Amino acid sequence: MTYNLTPHRFHIPVMGLAFTIDTPIKVAHYGITSALSIIEDNLIEMMRKHYYQENNEIYVPIEKHEENYRVRRITDYLNLVNRNVQSKFEKLKSSAFDKGSEIVKYFEMLPEESGLKEKYEQFLQSHGEAKAELESFLRKHISPGGIEVNIMTKVDKNNTGKNGEILPDGSDALGALKAYAESELENSAVIFSAGMNPRLFNYLENFREFDASAWGRFKKKVIIKVSDYRSALIQGKYLAKKGIWVSEFRIESGLNCGGHAFATQGYLLGPILEEFRSKKEELEQALFSLYNPAIQARGEAGFDQPHPVNITVQGGIGTAAEQQLLYGYYGVNGTGWGTPFLLCPEATTVDAGTLELLRKSKENDVVLSKASPLGVRFNYLKNTSANVERQQRIDRGKPGSPCTEKYLVSNTEFTKEPICTASRKYQKLKLEQLENAGLPEEEYQLQVDDLLSKECLCIGLSSSAGINYKVPIVEKLDAVTICPGPNIVNYSKLASLQEMSDHIYGRQELPVDPQRPHMFVKELQLYVEYLKEEIKNTFNPVPRDIKGWTGFCNNLLEGVSHYRTLAEQELIKKKEAFEQGLNRWEAAVLEIKAGLESR
């Protein structure tokens, strides 16, 4: 039996910019792995100031006029996070085995099937010399959780030097990767989300920190967030040819997730997991056949077999029974629990006002919006301070946000230099264009509504930390945007870390809305509603559109068939409600399909 593996099989995914910016400091010493975003360096500089002061250490600002300031800010913050985690872990490790102590909390939160948890239970029942030996064993074999960083590959604006020339390898994503590679983090990973960025992936070759030191051993691992098997194979092969091993593919539901939602063509999570389950060995061998020759070509010794590839999943998981299905049937190595942790202040950083909105949220309060300037759909909580502020600007006849951070500048429709579609400048120009376009009223209003829904996510997703720690990211800009998954509406209780771990492992459930549908049924519902909206908002569809929507319906129906097989095998708890949900949304898909066929 081994004891030095990851203590927990769940992780806390990256959420927004601020909401998990210091989550590792809060949870890693308990053995829980979590991820933080390293793109927004102004937020990171604010967090540097906060934690240096909290640690009673001298804070020396890294100013924007300084050379290489962005990389230096990120690297130093990651080192600061690492020091805090190690310090808290050493204190935990040496604390007494008394009721309520940190080390007792560590063991109480472990899953029951953990080898360490079994040893802890033996320790509680033992006496004398045997107890002392077990205590020594337990202290020796505990380990902290991993500190992971997330780089959203699409956020990769070029940056310029003092002379206005583009900095080589100085874009946002490349700078973040360099900062991470140069940090002191070990037992760590970089997560690439939002698809392939060849420039970023090519840049990985410059850093030996991602090389294997032995079979299955990496100082810094590579994780790719994917929506399906094909994406994993393409991106994994691209990196394998460069001698980069992908240690984990993190599958996320296309729509039943927080933040940006990358909808698939009707491919549901269950069938996607089934494909990974049946093809995992094939995937490992496909990557290994490219990876081994690549590392040998640069003069390194090859390996006799592929490094392990973990398959993890996140998006909409809400009960221990759902998690057990993912582990037991699909054989995933781990799960991500994001949205429920937004109501766990011990783990995440959410300001009090937004926390209360989350706690009271109902079914219609979380919407699949067009708020993101990137043009990607975005799960979004209504009535936040950013939502209110955006509407006030519209009411005053001055829509759009001041663009101070410029991480999401991407549009060159009206300007030579890219600007952000949520900015005041872009919205003014676009509104003028739409007014003169001679569009039918319904189409015009839809485009205007889509335009005005854009929000400044750079500030909105950062502000919670500034409010909580009383240090604004940008003076006089503190409105909050938050992007929970639809699952948030099923929870209303602020939970402790202990309560969350008990809920995840089925020891003691948190209060959950009794009408909450199974995660697979909820995702099916979200896809049906998404398809209906796409059809409704497409004016003058062409045959290609009809064909695409019909294929979408067929993929949903295949998903329903797969889920019925699970129910027949008695793998689903609350089977009757599950089948009723399938029947309801299957009927909706068949109705859509019939309508398409009659056109």
Side-chain angles (χ1 to χ4, degrees), residues 9 63 111 189 204 213 235 342 350 377 379 407 422 431 452 541 549 581 594:
R9 291 181 72 183
E63 304 287 1
L204 267 173
S213 58
Q235 295 185 71
L342 290 172
V350 185
R377 299 302 294 271
N379 273 316
Y407 286 106
L431 281 171
L452 298 183
W549 294 330

Side-chain angles (χ1 to χ4, degrees), residues 281-325:
E281 188 174 334
E282 180 183 319
L283 175 64
E284 289 177 344
Q285 291 297 333
L287 302 188
F288 187 63
S289 68
L290 299 172
Y291 167 81
N292 223 29
I295 62 171
Q296 289 171 331
R298 64 184 185 217
E300 299 173 20
F303 294 93
D304 296 331
Q305 59 181 319
H307 300 294
V309 174
N310 282 341
I311 305 298
T312 60
V313 61
Q314 60 195 45
I317 307 168
T319 66
E322 290 174 353
Q323 176 168 259
Q324 194 51 50
L325 173 67

Side-chain angles (χ1 to χ4, degrees), residues 28-29 79-93 144-145 147 185-187:
H29 56 296
N79 292 342
L80 178 62
V81 169
N82 191 48
R83 290 200 305 276
N84 272 287
V85 168
Q86 294 303 323
S87 174
K88 293 177 85 168
F89 180 68
E90 289 305 317
K91 287 177 183 175
L92 179 149
K93 199 173 179 180
I147 301 169
L185 292 179
E186 297 186 13
N187 180 33

Side-chain angles (χ1 to χ4, degrees), residues 69-115:
Y69 76 92
R70 191 165 180 277
V71 171
R72 289 171 53 215
R73 282 177 170 183
I74 298 168
T75 298
D76 189 72
Y77 180 62
L78 293 178
N79 292 342
L80 178 62
V81 169
N82 191 48
R83 290 200 305 276
N84 272 287
V85 168
Q86 294 303 323
S87 174
K88 293 177 85 168
F89 180 68
E90 289 305 317
K91 287 177 183 175
L92 179 149
K93 199 173 179 180
S94 61
S95 64
F97 274 90
D98 295 333
K99 185 177 181 180
S101 73
E102 291 289 88
I103 198 164
V104 166
K105 186 175 178 180
Y106 182 104
F107 285 105
E108 287 181 344
M109 287 197 289
L110 290 176
E112 306 311 305
E113 65 271 17
S114 160

Side-chain angles (χ1 to χ4, degrees), residues 329-519:
Y329 179 75
Y330 294 107
V332 302
N333 301 101
T335 54
W337 288 67
T339 292
F341 270 103
L342 290 172
L343 292 179
C344 180
E346 271 187 79
T348 52
T349 300
V350 185
D351 63 282
T354 307
L355 202 58
E356 189 63 6
L357 280 177
L358 289 168
R359 195 184 67 77
K360 292 182 176 179
S361 63
K362 302 299 180 190
E363 185 71 25
N364 295 324
D365 292 330
V366 178
V367 294
L368 186 62
S369 75
K370 295 188 177 179
S372 173
L374 292 177
V376 179
R377 299 302 294 271
F378 188 69
N379 273 316
Y380 173 88
L381 181 69
K382 295 192 293 188
N383 302 317
T384 59
S385 52
N387 187 197
V388 172
E389 186 177 274
R390 177 182 60 83
Q391 189 58 49
Q392 288 173 343
R393 287 174 176 149
I394 294 169
D395 293 343
R396 291 198 305 267
K398 294 184 177 180
S401 306
C403 190
T404 61
E405 307 303 278
K406 303 189 187 307
Y407 286 106
L408 302 184
V409 295
S410 61
N411 188 283
T412 54
E413 190 177 352
F414 304 109
T415 56
K416 184 178 179 181
E417 292 295 320
I419 57 176
C420 179
T421 58
S423 69
R424 194 168 293 158
K425 182 176 183 179
Y426 176 81
Q427 297 206 355
K428 182 175 184 293
L429 292 168
K430 188 66 177 178
L431 281 171
E432 289 173 359
Q433 182 197 65
L434 290 173
E435 285 168 6
N436 297 319
L439 296 171
E441 179 60 28
E442 188 180 1
E443 188 173 350
Y444 167 77
Q445 197 56 53
L446 178 67
Q447 291 205 37
V448 168
D449 291 345
D450 287 352
L451 171 68
L452 298 183
S453 69
K454 306 292 184 227
E455 276 189 18
C456 173
L457 300 187
C458 299
I459 296 296
L461 295 177
S462 298
S463 292
S464 260
I467 294 168
N468 271 14
Y469 299 130
K470 298 179 173 57
V471 186
I473 310 302
V474 178
E475 290 292 341
K476 298 181 181 179
L477 293 177
D478 61 359
V480 176
T481 301
I482 196 163
C483 48
N487 203 17
I488 191 65
V489 303
N490 300 297
Y491 298 86
S492 58
K493 181 184 185 298
L494 296 186
S496 69
L497 196 57
Q498 179 87 54
E499 288 172 326
M500 276 300 306
S501 68
D502 286 347
H503 177 76
I504 288 169
Y505 294 128
R507 292 187 288 252
Q508 182 67 49
E509 289 190 356
L510 289 169
V512 176
D513 186 339
Q515 300 304 312
R516 176 189 178 274
H518 191 281
M519 60 179 287

Side-chain angles (χ1 to χ4, degrees), residues 42 69 77 90 101 130 161 182 184 188 203 226 234 261 275 328 334 453 464 491 525 547 549 556-558 579 589:
N42 286 333
Y69 76 92
Y77 180 62
E90 289 305 317
S101 73
E182 294 179 351
E184 297 165 358
S188 180
Y203 194 49
V226 296
I234 290 171
E275 186 170 13
S453 69
S464 260
Y491 298 86
Q525 174 193 341
K547 183 180 178 181
W549 294 330
L556 290 179
L557 294 172
E558 284 183 20
E579 290 179 328
V589 176

